[in-house]
Amino acid sequence: MVGLVIVSHSYKIAEGIKDLALEMASGYEGLHCAAGLDDGSIGTDAIRIMEAIKEANSGDGVVVLADLGSGIISAETAIDMLDEDIKVQIADAPIVEGAIIAAVEASIGSDFDKVLQEAENTKTFQKVYK
Amino acid sequence: MSSRIYDCIVKINETIQTNKDFLTDLDREIGDADHGVNMARGFNAVIEKLNADDADIGGALKKTGMTLLSTVGGASGPLYGTAYMEAGKVVQGKTEITKEDFGEMLRVAIEGIQKRGKAEKGEKTMLDSLLPAYDVYMEKINGGEDLLGALEAACEEAEKGIEYTKTIRATKGRASYLGDRSIGHQDPGATSATLTLETIRDFLKG
């Protein structure tokens, strides 16, 4: 099963996205969060992200959803530092919509490419019809 | 007795702590007002992690970089973290460095920052201080100047780099959201990078 890692500056944002995603993908256990710093401050931690990627991996790869700025740079750093051979990519997607769709796809057993693709498709979702 | 590399990093920490509010104020103008606070938190953690008798320069720099990755929180964490780790790799196991070593450390540190930030010169980042500083450093040592002399020249170029960042608009990082409104303000990253070089210079003068 494909794993997911939610990277945010804020612990609360990541946990909130997790709650929201699991409401639609109940029972899915591959979603991990790496958000905020150890002392509770706002920020991203490349080492923690690297560990979350390892935890989320069950052999089928890991898709990372990140918020902005250092969320992306820290996730890229984490991927470069991985000492295990894990198929992993950051989805170019909005973090909330991307995480929900990716969790649903992963929970029904879609493969890595499909989960990544569906997450990235949310980038062009029309939310408001005028 | 504490090692030279430990003492040098302690000095860098002091500089960061002294300039914490200054760096944060610069970042308030064009960013998210956290550069000084983030760097200060990161270097506090570095000093806690380092052993005073750690003499292996490569090992100490690696530990410094890893700690910054985890504790700075903003983009300067991976940027400075990568820079220190890359610099450490080329002096692994060494307790003393030559002027050539220092040039190589600068080169790989800058390369790491460029790879991480995907930035080039002229984008209002720390590279606007570091790239010209590196160039003049190499020019000086190749012309026979010693480490300290070359570093003094490098610091002057880094200062000019800060001035240069005032004249251009940001195209990378949070400041790029401001477009032309970023012109007129100096870049906090170029400032902290220059302060770091100047601290190493003063330490070597010591």
Side-chain angles (χ1 to χ4, degrees):
Chain A
M1 190 167 285
V2 176
L4 296 179
V5 172
I6 310 295
V7 174
S8 173
H9 285 65
S10 155
Y11 175 80
K12 287 181 188 168
I13 286 182
E15 288 297 320
I17 290 172
K18 183 178 178 180
D19 289 346
L20 201 55
L22 293 187
E23 222 182 27
M24 292 192 65
S26 57
Y28 174 57
E29 290 178 352
L31 195 155
H32 293 255
C33 296
L37 302 183
D38 272 348
D39 65 0
S41 313
I42 293 276
T44 60
D45 171 350
I47 309 288
R48 194 155 164 183
I49 299 168
M50 180 182 72
E51 279 156 10
I53 292 171
K54 289 184 190 173
E55 285 163 17
N57 182 47
S58 62
D60 298 320
V62 176
V63 173
V64 178
L65 279 303
D67 61 9
L68 68 176
S70 72
I72 306 290
I73 299 184
S74 287
E76 288 170 343
T77 308
I79 291 169
D80 283 351
M81 289 175 64
L82 273 176
D83 49 8
E84 293 172 25
D85 188 19
I86 300 175
K87 190 173 188 180
V88 53
Q89 264 197 57
I90 305 169
D92 184 13
I95 187 167
V96 179
E97 288 88 340
I100 292 171
I101 294 293
V104 170
E105 284 296 331
S107 72
I108 58 174
S110 298
D111 67 11
F112 178 85
D113 290 341
K114 174 80 170 158
V115 173
L116 179 66
Q117 183 62 54
E118 290 298 331
E120 294 193 338
N121 283 347
T122 63
K123 205 177 169 185
T124 52
F125 261 15
Q126 186 168 9
K127 284 202 222 180
V128 180
Y129 294 84
K130 289 178 178 170
Chain B
M1 210 181 94
S2 56
S3 69
R4 287 278 284 165
I5 184 64
Y6 177 79
D7 291 343
C8 183
I9 296 171
V10 164
K11 287 288 173 200
I12 295 174
N13 175 49
E14 283 171 16
T15 298
I16 297 293
Q17 303 302 336
T18 307
N19 289 281
K20 175 178 157 181
D21 293 339
F22 171 55
L23 292 171
T24 292
D25 287 344
L26 291 176
D27 195 26
R28 182 169 294 117
E29 301 291 337
I30 56 170
D32 48 0
D34 64 4
H35 187 51
V37 176
N38 285 352
M39 291 293 287
R41 178 176 53 229
F43 269 93
N44 270 331
V46 166
I47 297 303
E48 265 175 45
K49 281 264 167 68
L50 285 180
N51 299 317
D53 55 359
D54 247 344
D56 171 4
I57 298 171
L61 292 177
K62 184 182 175 192
K63 211 183 262 184
T64 300
M66 293 281 283
T67 306
L68 294 177
L69 283 184
S70 268
T71 55
V72 170
S76 43
L79 294 173
Y80 277 111
T82 301
Y84 279 95
M85 282 166 67
E86 291 298 321
K89 276 185 201 163
V90 296
V91 289
Q92 200 61 51
K94 292 194 177 182
T95 53
E96 277 177 34
I97 56 165
T98 63
K99 62 182 182 180
E100 288 80 13
D101 287 333
F102 191 75
E104 188 59 9
M105 289 162 79
L106 273 180
R107 188 182 71 78
V108 296
I110 293 169
E111 216 171 72
I113 291 168
Q114 282 189 294
K115 182 183 168 220
R116 242 348 121 228
K118 300 181 180 76
E120 289 165 25
K121 201 175 157 187
E123 295 195 280
K124 204 180 183 87
T125 72
M126 57 175 86
L127 293 170
D128 292 319
S129 282
L130 290 173
L131 285 170
Y134 169 71
D135 287 344
V136 79
Y137 179 85
M138 292 309 291
E139 200 184 297
K140 291 288 177 188
I141 66 163
N142 289 333
E145 190 69 73
D146 64 7
L147 200 164
L148 182 57
L151 186 53
E152 280 177 337
C155 288
E156 282 172 29
E157 287 304 308
E159 283 287 350
K160 285 183 205 160
I162 295 179
E163 291 306 309
Y164 169 62
T165 64
K166 291 182 186 170
T167 68
I168 54 176
R169 66 196 284 261
T171 51
K172 283 284 184 304
R174 205 70 74 98
S176 65
Y177 297 171
L178 294 176
D180 284 345
R181 276 179 293 148
S182 65
I183 297 174
H185 300 284
Q186 77 189 60
D187 180 60
T191 309
S192 60
T194 301
L195 286 168
T196 304
L197 290 178
E198 288 171 344
T199 305
I200 300 170
R201 175 198 64 193
D202 296 344
F203 175 74
L204 292 176
K205 266 188 190 168

